[in-house]
Amino acid sequence: MIEHIKEEVLKEIKPSKEEMENLKRKSNAIIGKIWEIIKRNNFPVLEVLLVGSSARNTNLKNDYDIDIFLLFDRSVNEETLEDIGIKIGIETISELNGTYSINYASHPYVNGIIDGYEVDIVPCYKIEFGERIISAVDRTPLHHKFLCNRLNEELCDEVRVLKAFLRSLGLYGSDVKTKGFSGYLCELLILHYGSFENLLKDAQNWKLGKTIILKDIFELYSREKINLKRFDDPLVVYDPVDLNRNVASPLSKENFCKFIFYAREFLKNPSLEFFKDYGKKIEEKLEDRPHGYRLILKIRREDVVDDILYPQMEKLQKSINKAITKNEFVILSSKCFADDKFCYLYWEFLVEKLPKVILREGPPVFDRERVENFLKKYDKVFIKGCKVCAYAERKYSHVVELFKDIINGKFVNISIPKHVNPKNGEIIELDLDKTYS
Amino acid sequence: MIEHIKEEVLKEIKPSKEEMENLKRKSNAIIGKIWEIIKRNNFPVLEVLLVGSSARNTNLKNDYDIDIFLLFDRSVNEETLEDIGIKIGIETISELNGTYSINYASHPYVNGIIDGYEVDIVPCYKIEFGERIISAVDRTPLHHKFLCNRLNEELCDEVRVLKAFLRSLGLYGSDVKTKGFSGYLCELLILHYGSFENLLKDAQNWKLGKTIILKDIFELYSREKINLKRFDDPLVVYDPVDLNRNVASPLSKENFCKFIFYAREFLKNPSLEFFKDYGKKIEEKLEDRPHGYRLILKIRREDVVDDILYPQMEKLQKSINKAITKNEFVILSSKCFADDKFCYLYWEFLVEKLPKVILREGPPVFDRERVENFLKKYDKVFIKGCKVCAYAERKYSHVVELFKDIINGKFVNISIPKHVNPKNGEIIELDLDKTYS
């Protein structure tokens, strides 16, 4: 059953032989060009390495990423490394008639498009297993070398099935927007469990803090008695290249739980459906229901990347949620997303309107000091059960009033992140088609 | 300050000398008539005793109650006692040109009106201090004898002030409707504390389970090492006549707390206002505010006394409250009351209308068995945090729909008391002036 499904999935998502050959040919041409430039300029590059899923045969169809790393000796200083890296990148892409831009990770690198392929040319230091890294990208060549020696054709296909499953559920990707499983994590998990099915079977019983130590690490660990670092993440997968790093650290608790849940659902009733935009289908099913009052706060997007924007949107929404709850409105759901032009913070409320009256529950009558403080604050006081209670007037009787104060900057208890400022935002009442700004 | 207030209060509430003399004269006339009837018929009555607050000089103005107890020897059987008691009662009131009815407490007794005075003529067994009682009313003559020997004019006035204070707050009366302080309890408290002011001062620091042992009992207790019975009531005042009885047992926790609270309020700022329908004034102040959605369930009153009706109304309301809360409507306040014709169950809700959608929070994803049960119940399931959640449809989207099902008998989880049946009741929406039945 599952075998059959895997076959079907692979038909859909495994790149064709031709696609892979084209990719290989293109990669070789670029690497050839890079070596040409290195020799022409006598640059101190030790190695040029094709890395990433396309190099390891674990990529999905229509994934045209070519990642090339330039390995330098530790003796080269960082400035030189960056300079040479950028020079090689720019010259390579230019000479191959591509277009390029300079991106910034731990240091700048060149990103370009050549004949429809997205090419990254990244300089790094060459280090050996066990050596300390200098910059974060220095691990990548080691990741590649570690996996290349261990993944065979069969395992690569299992990785692809896993990636397709996760992508369909919206759990594929370790960026801050997705908070899911990185490609490298997928590869390590398949390496550890041997197959997609074994992984899911085990995942069914995962608990928070589930820790996975690869066989190679385990052997090293038991031989040398290393004290493994502890992580407070939902899933811990030690990086075989750097034991101080948890490969699964970007995975959120919710996504960890989703994976467990859908692993069970799939195994209970295996079906190709799970690989076909399953996450979106669930969303649609969930949305096909009566709704509470829905509202969107639309804020013009500043020129920052998703990795910066999303945590800030989430932070702002969390802060607004606190204010909403404090004012006794009940949130049914909330989420945020962004397109090129705007940030959208979305809410669904149980009700939008509450009466002006608010019932405040105070301390028990016996706690004389706290009762006295309560009496200082409130006027319409009475005893209910053993507690002092009071009626007061609610500040916001309609949730839109609260949002209006937020966009007008009158609401003081909201922490405004640097790049997502609700001031001059727009409030959209979804079912009423009303807009305030 | 407080002395002056007490004087003012007494001017208002202490019966005039003339009033007391008239009462005395009337009581003597009735007792004379009773003895005449006893002798005429040769009834085995040992004693005819005027009891109650008017006999003890602790009554309030315009309190025209005359309580007369007929004391029988233990050798008389209960049937005879009841027969003779009723005969004496009826004959006495008839010969004095009054009107009478027969009431039932622990046994039947005659209640009548003579010249505007309300007269109770109650048969009971004569017992001595420490003897076992036969019926509940047998204690009353002993209560009277105990207090008569100990209360002087000054203490009697303190009792009156306390009663006026409690009456003004709605805390006076040990019936099931009031759940407050009985007259006898007031007298014991003043006896124990010596004055109204001392009582309030101590009450400020009372805690749940406050226990008061009168001096006489304490002496008895320490001399004979009696094991005093324990009570689980907010206030415990041992009955000097029967140590197995807590005189304060009818006092509810809420009223106990109210007394503590208003004792403090009065002492902080002593004023005559506290003696002038203070409870009602607080009510009015509390009601002068914006309201939520208000609704009354009006049910025809059956022919039962308050003492039976009120606990049943409260029971029904409690049961309905559970149903309301289960359906996620928020109750701001609820109370019940009755007049001659109807029972009224009143509610104020935060909101009356909720969207059709309901958000159900299930178990954490790790608890596989409970998750499976949750999945059997719900269809639109998703993961939020670590929990399985679901959207479902709310049964009652307007609280009136729920009440309609109650009066139509379609709501199964309501426990219907014997004498308060919401079937065929009427729903009144207060601010909308709408009625459903």
Tab-separated table of all heavy atoms in Angstrom, chain A residues 379-428:
chain	number	residue	atom	x	y	z
A	379	ASP	N	-16.061	51.800	42.571
A	379	ASP	CA	-17.114	52.491	43.280
A	379	ASP	C	-18.310	51.564	43.530
A	379	ASP	O	-18.788	51.425	44.657
A	379	ASP	CB	-17.519	53.692	42.411
A	379	ASP	CG	-18.670	54.450	43.004
A	379	ASP	OD1	-18.696	54.574	44.236
A	379	ASP	OD2	-19.539	54.893	42.236
A	380	LYS	N	-18.762	50.910	42.470
A	380	LYS	CA	-19.966	50.076	42.576
A	380	LYS	C	-19.608	48.671	43.035
A	380	LYS	O	-19.524	47.733	42.252
A	380	LYS	CB	-20.688	50.055	41.231
A	380	LYS	CG	-21.223	51.433	40.916
A	380	LYS	CD	-21.986	51.542	39.660
A	380	LYS	CE	-22.505	52.971	39.581
A	380	LYS	NZ	-23.167	53.268	38.327
A	381	VAL	N	-19.430	48.578	44.372
A	381	VAL	CA	-18.865	47.369	44.953
A	381	VAL	C	-19.949	46.512	45.586
A	381	VAL	O	-20.899	47.036	46.159
A	381	VAL	CB	-17.811	47.774	46.010
A	381	VAL	CG1	-17.339	46.581	46.799
A	381	VAL	CG2	-16.636	48.468	45.325
A	382	PHE	N	-19.811	45.228	45.494
A	382	PHE	CA	-20.720	44.326	46.197
A	382	PHE	C	-20.014	43.024	46.550
A	382	PHE	O	-18.892	42.776	46.096
A	382	PHE	CB	-21.974	44.059	45.356
A	382	PHE	CG	-21.705	43.390	44.039
A	382	PHE	CD1	-21.941	42.034	43.876
A	382	PHE	CD2	-21.218	44.122	42.961
A	382	PHE	CE1	-21.700	41.408	42.654
A	382	PHE	CE2	-20.974	43.505	41.738
A	382	PHE	CZ	-21.208	42.150	41.594
A	383	ILE	N	-20.691	42.231	47.394
A	383	ILE	CA	-20.105	40.963	47.832
A	383	ILE	C	-20.792	39.837	47.069
A	383	ILE	O	-22.019	39.764	47.015
A	383	ILE	CB	-20.323	40.753	49.351
A	383	ILE	CG1	-19.824	41.962	50.148
A	383	ILE	CG2	-19.641	39.472	49.827
A	383	ILE	CD1	-18.361	42.224	50.054
A	384	LYS	N	-19.967	38.947	46.497
A	384	LYS	CA	-20.517	37.802	45.773
A	384	LYS	C	-19.749	36.584	46.257
A	384	LYS	O	-18.529	36.533	46.099
A	384	LYS	CB	-20.324	38.019	44.267
A	384	LYS	CG	-21.069	37.041	43.397
A	384	LYS	CD	-20.796	37.379	41.927
A	384	LYS	CE	-21.185	36.229	41.028
A	384	LYS	NZ	-20.692	36.444	39.652
A	385	GLY	N	-20.456	35.649	46.850
A	385	GLY	CA	-19.763	34.543	47.500
A	385	GLY	C	-18.918	35.144	48.605
A	385	GLY	O	-19.428	35.901	49.428
A	386	CYS	N	-17.636	34.856	48.607
A	386	CYS	CA	-16.769	35.453	49.623
A	386	CYS	C	-15.954	36.612	49.069
A	386	CYS	O	-15.101	37.159	49.756
A	386	CYS	CB	-15.833	34.395	50.191
A	386	CYS	SG	-16.648	33.363	51.394
A	387	LYS	N	-16.193	36.967	47.808
A	387	LYS	CA	-15.343	37.967	47.179
A	387	LYS	C	-15.972	39.342	47.053
A	387	LYS	O	-17.193	39.463	46.929
A	387	LYS	CB	-14.968	37.495	45.768
A	387	LYS	CG	-13.916	36.412	45.786
A	387	LYS	CD	-13.567	36.007	44.386
A	387	LYS	CE	-12.471	34.948	44.404
A	387	LYS	NZ	-12.349	34.288	43.108
A	388	VAL	N	-15.137	40.348	47.077
A	388	VAL	CA	-15.572	41.694	46.747
A	388	VAL	C	-15.588	41.788	45.227
A	388	VAL	O	-14.634	41.379	44.569
A	388	VAL	CB	-14.578	42.748	47.286
A	388	VAL	CG1	-15.191	44.137	47.202
A	388	VAL	CG2	-14.198	42.427	48.699
A	389	CYS	N	-16.681	42.288	44.676
A	389	CYS	CA	-16.772	42.456	43.229
A	389	CYS	C	-17.190	43.881	42.933
A	389	CYS	O	-17.606	44.608	43.835
A	389	CYS	CB	-17.806	41.499	42.651
A	389	CYS	SG	-17.363	39.783	42.848
A	390	ALA	N	-17.051	44.270	41.690
A	390	ALA	CA	-17.468	45.625	41.330
A	390	ALA	C	-17.919	45.658	39.883
A	390	ALA	O	-17.458	44.878	39.051
A	390	ALA	CB	-16.318	46.604	41.543
A	391	TYR	N	-18.816	46.552	39.599
A	391	TYR	CA	-19.175	46.864	38.219
A	391	TYR	C	-18.393	48.108	37.813
A	391	TYR	O	-18.319	49.081	38.567
A	391	TYR	CB	-20.672	47.143	38.078
A	391	TYR	CG	-21.534	45.929	38.249
A	391	TYR	CD1	-22.425	45.830	39.315
A	391	TYR	CD2	-21.464	44.875	37.345
A	391	TYR	CE1	-23.234	44.709	39.469
A	391	TYR	CE2	-22.263	43.753	37.504
A	391	TYR	CZ	-23.145	43.673	38.565
A	391	TYR	OH	-23.932	42.572	38.717
A	392	ALA	N	-17.808	48.059	36.633
A	392	ALA	CA	-17.103	49.230	36.127
A	392	ALA	C	-17.496	49.415	34.671
A	392	ALA	O	-18.254	48.613	34.125
A	392	ALA	CB	-15.602	49.009	36.257
A	393	GLU	N	-16.984	50.473	34.062
A	393	GLU	CA	-17.307	50.666	32.652
A	393	GLU	C	-16.171	50.174	31.772
A	393	GLU	O	-15.013	50.491	31.992
A	393	GLU	CB	-17.619	52.149	32.376
A	393	GLU	CG	-19.004	52.508	32.861
A	393	GLU	CD	-19.721	53.488	31.927
A	393	GLU	OE1	-19.204	53.815	30.846
A	393	GLU	OE2	-20.826	53.920	32.302
A	394	ARG	N	-16.541	49.426	30.778
A	394	ARG	CA	-15.591	48.903	29.827
A	394	ARG	C	-15.070	50.037	28.945
A	394	ARG	O	-15.835	50.903	28.545
A	394	ARG	CB	-16.317	47.882	28.960
A	394	ARG	CG	-15.462	47.043	28.063
A	394	ARG	CD	-16.350	46.136	27.228
A	394	ARG	NE	-17.145	45.259	28.077
A	394	ARG	CZ	-16.662	44.177	28.666
A	394	ARG	NH1	-15.415	43.847	28.499
A	394	ARG	NH2	-17.436	43.432	29.429
A	395	LYS	N	-13.775	50.017	28.659
A	395	LYS	CA	-13.222	51.062	27.813
A	395	LYS	C	-13.602	50.840	26.353
A	395	LYS	O	-14.041	51.757	25.663
A	395	LYS	CB	-11.694	51.102	27.955
A	395	LYS	CG	-11.102	52.320	27.310
A	395	LYS	CD	-9.642	52.536	27.663
A	395	LYS	CE	-9.128	53.778	26.947
A	395	LYS	NZ	-7.668	53.792	26.876
A	396	TYR	N	-13.423	49.612	25.891
A	396	TYR	CA	-13.748	49.306	24.492
A	396	TYR	C	-14.935	48.361	24.442
A	396	TYR	O	-14.835	47.217	24.876
A	396	TYR	CB	-12.553	48.657	23.801
A	396	TYR	CG	-11.341	49.549	23.782
A	396	TYR	CD1	-10.258	49.301	24.610
A	396	TYR	CD2	-11.303	50.657	22.940
A	396	TYR	CE1	-9.142	50.127	24.594
A	396	TYR	CE2	-10.195	51.485	22.923
A	396	TYR	CZ	-9.124	51.213	23.757
A	396	TYR	OH	-8.029	52.029	23.741
A	397	SER	N	-16.016	48.852	23.923
A	397	SER	CA	-17.197	48.027	23.895
A	397	SER	C	-17.288	47.327	22.535
A	397	SER	O	-17.907	46.285	22.402
A	397	SER	CB	-18.378	48.931	24.232
A	397	SER	OG	-19.513	48.561	23.605
A	398	HIS	N	-16.624	47.862	21.535
A	398	HIS	CA	-16.504	47.200	20.236
A	398	HIS	C	-15.018	47.020	19.948
A	398	HIS	O	-14.235	47.929	20.149
A	398	HIS	CB	-17.157	48.046	19.133
A	398	HIS	CG	-17.425	47.264	17.884
A	398	HIS	ND1	-16.425	46.717	17.106
A	398	HIS	CD2	-18.594	46.915	17.284
A	398	HIS	CE1	-16.967	46.083	16.080
A	398	HIS	NE2	-18.279	46.177	16.164
A	399	VAL	N	-14.645	45.842	19.467
A	399	VAL	CA	-13.227	45.543	19.277
A	399	VAL	C	-12.597	46.490	18.234
A	399	VAL	O	-11.393	46.775	18.295
A	399	VAL	CB	-13.031	44.046	18.933
A	399	VAL	CG1	-13.353	43.730	17.497
A	399	VAL	CG2	-11.639	43.586	19.296
A	400	VAL	N	-13.401	47.007	17.323
A	400	VAL	CA	-12.866	47.944	16.334
A	400	VAL	C	-12.376	49.238	16.997
A	400	VAL	O	-11.383	49.824	16.557
A	400	VAL	CB	-13.903	48.241	15.224
A	400	VAL	CG1	-13.641	49.580	14.572
A	400	VAL	CG2	-13.864	47.161	14.151
A	401	GLU	N	-13.046	49.644	18.070
A	401	GLU	CA	-12.605	50.853	18.796
A	401	GLU	C	-11.174	50.670	19.297
A	401	GLU	O	-10.356	51.593	19.245
A	401	GLU	CB	-13.522	51.114	19.995
A	401	GLU	CG	-14.945	51.481	19.618
A	401	GLU	CD	-15.890	51.388	20.813
A	401	GLU	OE1	-15.412	51.310	21.968
A	401	GLU	OE2	-17.115	51.373	20.583
A	402	LEU	N	-10.900	49.459	19.785
A	402	LEU	CA	-9.564	49.145	20.283
A	402	LEU	C	-8.554	49.217	19.134
A	402	LEU	O	-7.481	49.811	19.267
A	402	LEU	CB	-9.602	47.755	20.900
A	402	LEU	CG	-8.403	47.241	21.692
A	402	LEU	CD1	-8.894	46.241	22.741
A	402	LEU	CD2	-7.371	46.573	20.816
A	403	PHE	N	-8.915	48.658	17.985
A	403	PHE	CA	-8.012	48.679	16.836
A	403	PHE	C	-7.803	50.104	16.306
A	403	PHE	O	-6.712	50.458	15.886
A	403	PHE	CB	-8.519	47.750	15.732
A	403	PHE	CG	-8.076	46.336	15.928
A	403	PHE	CD1	-8.834	45.460	16.677
A	403	PHE	CD2	-6.883	45.893	15.394
A	403	PHE	CE1	-8.409	44.154	16.877
A	403	PHE	CE2	-6.447	44.597	15.578
A	403	PHE	CZ	-7.217	43.725	16.334
A	404	LYS	N	-8.864	50.896	16.379
A	404	LYS	CA	-8.719	52.291	15.948
A	404	LYS	C	-7.686	52.997	16.814
A	404	LYS	O	-6.842	53.740	16.310
A	404	LYS	CB	-10.059	53.017	16.039
A	404	LYS	CG	-10.965	52.737	14.845
A	404	LYS	CD	-12.235	53.567	14.970
A	404	LYS	CE	-13.258	53.179	13.924
A	404	LYS	NZ	-14.603	53.670	14.259
A	405	ASP	N	-7.743	52.747	18.131
A	405	ASP	CA	-6.746	53.356	19.013
A	405	ASP	C	-5.348	52.849	18.702
A	405	ASP	O	-4.371	53.590	18.848
A	405	ASP	CB	-7.109	53.092	20.476
A	405	ASP	CG	-7.995	54.199	21.030
A	405	ASP	OD1	-8.453	55.042	20.235
A	405	ASP	OD2	-8.209	54.230	22.257
A	406	ILE	N	-5.245	51.612	18.277
A	406	ILE	CA	-3.920	51.076	17.938
A	406	ILE	C	-3.364	51.793	16.706
A	406	ILE	O	-2.225	52.250	16.717
A	406	ILE	CB	-3.981	49.547	17.697
A	406	ILE	CG1	-4.258	48.821	19.020
A	406	ILE	CG2	-2.674	49.039	17.073
A	406	ILE	CD1	-4.484	47.331	18.880
A	407	ILE	N	-4.162	51.932	15.653
A	407	ILE	CA	-3.620	52.573	14.445
A	407	ILE	C	-3.452	54.076	14.624
A	407	ILE	O	-2.657	54.697	13.937
A	407	ILE	CB	-4.436	52.251	13.150
A	407	ILE	CG1	-5.864	52.772	13.238
A	407	ILE	CG2	-4.398	50.788	12.824
A	407	ILE	CD1	-6.633	52.611	11.927
A	408	ASN	N	-4.162	54.629	15.589
A	408	ASN	CA	-3.969	56.059	15.860
A	408	ASN	C	-2.844	56.310	16.866
A	408	ASN	O	-2.597	57.442	17.256
A	408	ASN	CB	-5.259	56.676	16.398
A	408	ASN	CG	-6.343	56.665	15.341
A	408	ASN	OD1	-6.047	56.719	14.153
A	408	ASN	ND2	-7.585	56.558	15.775
A	409	GLY	N	-2.208	55.219	17.313
A	409	GLY	CA	-1.108	55.369	18.270
A	409	GLY	C	-1.566	55.768	19.660
A	409	GLY	O	-0.773	56.198	20.487
A	410	LYS	N	-2.860	55.613	19.935
A	410	LYS	CA	-3.378	56.005	21.253
A	410	LYS	C	-3.315	54.870	22.261
A	410	LYS	O	-3.569	55.051	23.435
A	410	LYS	CB	-4.849	56.442	21.125
A	410	LYS	CG	-5.011	57.851	20.597
A	410	LYS	CD	-6.473	58.248	20.663
A	410	LYS	CE	-6.758	59.414	19.761
A	410	LYS	NZ	-8.194	59.492	19.427
A	411	PHE	N	-3.025	53.696	21.766
A	411	PHE	CA	-2.990	52.534	22.642
A	411	PHE	C	-1.558	52.349	23.111
A	411	PHE	O	-0.680	52.009	22.336
A	411	PHE	CB	-3.478	51.308	21.869
A	411	PHE	CG	-4.017	50.242	22.764
A	411	PHE	CD1	-5.376	50.066	22.901
A	411	PHE	CD2	-3.172	49.430	23.491
A	411	PHE	CE1	-5.884	49.090	23.738
A	411	PHE	CE2	-3.669	48.464	24.338
A	411	PHE	CZ	-5.029	48.288	24.449
A	412	VAL	N	-1.318	52.562	24.389
A	412	VAL	CA	0.070	52.635	24.855
A	412	VAL	C	0.724	51.288	25.135
A	412	VAL	O	1.936	51.161	25.070
A	412	VAL	CB	0.203	53.524	26.107
A	412	VAL	CG1	0.063	54.979	25.705
A	412	VAL	CG2	-0.822	53.149	27.157
A	413	ASN	N	-0.072	50.285	25.428
A	413	ASN	CA	0.544	49.041	25.893
A	413	ASN	C	0.910	48.048	24.786
A	413	ASN	O	1.071	46.867	25.028
A	413	ASN	CB	-0.359	48.362	26.913
A	413	ASN	CG	-0.275	49.068	28.246
A	413	ASN	OD1	0.789	49.546	28.629
A	413	ASN	ND2	-1.395	49.169	28.938
A	414	ILE	N	1.029	48.548	23.580
A	414	ILE	CA	1.415	47.677	22.474
A	414	ILE	C	2.902	47.893	22.205
A	414	ILE	O	3.356	49.016	22.105
A	414	ILE	CB	0.622	48.055	21.193
A	414	ILE	CG1	-0.879	47.919	21.412
A	414	ILE	CG2	1.088	47.244	19.991
A	414	ILE	CD1	-1.393	46.518	21.448
A	415	SER	N	3.661	46.790	22.105
A	415	SER	CA	5.076	46.972	21.755
A	415	SER	C	5.203	46.919	20.231
A	415	SER	O	4.864	45.930	19.599
A	415	SER	CB	5.933	45.901	22.426
A	415	SER	OG	5.537	44.623	22.023
A	416	ILE	N	5.659	48.016	19.674
A	416	ILE	CA	5.729	48.172	18.219
A	416	ILE	C	7.097	47.726	17.717
A	416	ILE	O	8.112	48.328	18.077
A	416	ILE	CB	5.519	49.657	17.831
A	416	ILE	CG1	4.262	50.238	18.492
A	416	ILE	CG2	5.496	49.823	16.300
A	416	ILE	CD1	2.966	49.809	17.890
A	417	PRO	N	7.175	46.689	16.876
A	417	PRO	CA	8.473	46.260	16.360
A	417	PRO	C	9.001	47.285	15.342
A	417	PRO	O	8.241	48.107	14.833
A	417	PRO	CB	8.164	44.929	15.667
A	417	PRO	CG	6.726	44.619	15.948
A	417	PRO	CD	6.067	45.887	16.344
A	418	LYS	N	10.292	47.194	15.060
A	418	LYS	CA	10.953	48.188	14.210
A	418	LYS	C	10.330	48.290	12.822
A	418	LYS	O	10.111	49.386	12.309
A	418	LYS	CB	12.431	47.798	14.077
A	418	LYS	CG	13.320	48.920	13.587
A	418	LYS	CD	14.785	48.513	13.612
A	418	LYS	CE	15.611	49.531	12.813
A	418	LYS	NZ	16.947	48.997	12.509
A	419	HIS	N	10.034	47.154	12.209
A	419	HIS	CA	9.622	47.196	10.806
A	419	HIS	C	8.132	46.948	10.552
A	419	HIS	O	7.708	46.874	9.416
A	419	HIS	CB	10.443	46.200	9.983
A	419	HIS	CG	11.891	46.547	9.926
A	419	HIS	ND1	12.357	47.679	9.281
A	419	HIS	CD2	12.984	45.949	10.467
A	419	HIS	CE1	13.663	47.741	9.393
A	419	HIS	NE2	14.074	46.704	10.114
A	420	VAL	N	7.350	46.770	11.616
A	420	VAL	CA	5.910	46.582	11.417
A	420	VAL	C	5.168	47.537	12.348
A	420	VAL	O	4.915	47.222	13.501
A	420	VAL	CB	5.459	45.129	11.694
A	420	VAL	CG1	4.025	44.927	11.231
A	420	VAL	CG2	6.376	44.126	11.005
A	421	ASN	N	4.876	48.714	11.849
A	421	ASN	CA	4.221	49.720	12.678
A	421	ASN	C	2.756	49.873	12.276
A	421	ASN	O	2.444	50.253	11.152
A	421	ASN	CB	4.952	51.061	12.516
A	421	ASN	CG	4.488	52.044	13.567
A	421	ASN	OD1	3.388	51.927	14.115
A	421	ASN	ND2	5.329	53.024	13.860
A	422	PRO	N	1.862	49.550	13.227
A	422	PRO	CA	0.435	49.607	12.885
A	422	PRO	C	-0.075	51.028	12.655
A	422	PRO	O	-1.187	51.207	12.172
A	422	PRO	CB	-0.246	48.984	14.113
A	422	PRO	CG	0.727	49.154	15.225
A	422	PRO	CD	2.088	49.139	14.614
A	423	LYS	N	0.749	52.008	13.022
A	423	LYS	CA	0.310	53.391	12.819
A	423	LYS	C	0.048	53.603	11.331
A	423	LYS	O	0.828	53.185	10.486
A	423	LYS	CB	1.394	54.352	13.317
A	423	LYS	CG	0.778	55.556	14.008
A	423	LYS	CD	1.808	56.486	14.603
A	423	LYS	CE	1.172	57.863	14.714
A	423	LYS	NZ	2.081	58.821	15.328
A	424	ASN	N	-1.042	54.234	11.049
A	424	ASN	CA	-1.473	54.436	9.668
A	424	ASN	C	-1.821	53.131	8.953
A	424	ASN	O	-1.857	53.059	7.737
A	424	ASN	CB	-0.413	55.187	8.857
A	424	ASN	CG	-0.030	56.475	9.546
A	424	ASN	OD1	-0.893	57.140	10.116
A	424	ASN	ND2	1.249	56.805	9.544
A	425	GLY	N	-2.040	52.089	9.742
A	425	GLY	CA	-2.529	50.849	9.156
A	425	GLY	C	-3.992	51.001	8.782
A	425	GLY	O	-4.588	52.074	8.946
A	426	GLU	N	-4.539	49.922	8.265
A	426	GLU	CA	-5.917	49.965	7.813
A	426	GLU	C	-6.649	48.805	8.480
A	426	GLU	O	-6.119	47.692	8.563
A	426	GLU	CB	-5.904	49.774	6.300
A	426	GLU	CG	-7.052	50.386	5.559
A	426	GLU	CD	-6.886	50.141	4.061
A	426	GLU	OE1	-5.734	50.209	3.571
A	426	GLU	OE2	-7.887	49.866	3.414
A	427	ILE	N	-7.869	49.075	8.995
A	427	ILE	CA	-8.663	48.007	9.602
A	427	ILE	C	-9.711	47.571	8.582
A	427	ILE	O	-10.454	48.399	8.063
A	427	ILE	CB	-9.392	48.508	10.863
A	427	ILE	CG1	-8.383	49.017	11.900
A	427	ILE	CG2	-10.258	47.413	11.456
A	427	ILE	CD1	-9.031	49.873	12.974
A	428	ILE	N	-9.754	46.284	8.324
A	428	ILE	CA	-10.764	45.778	7.392
A	428	ILE	C	-11.678	44.804	8.123
A	428	ILE	O	-11.212	43.781	8.639
A	428	ILE	CB	-10.091	45.080	6.190
A	428	ILE	CG1	-9.146	46.070	5.490
A	428	ILE	CG2	-11.130	44.547	5.217
A	428	ILE	CD1	-8.158	45.408	4.565
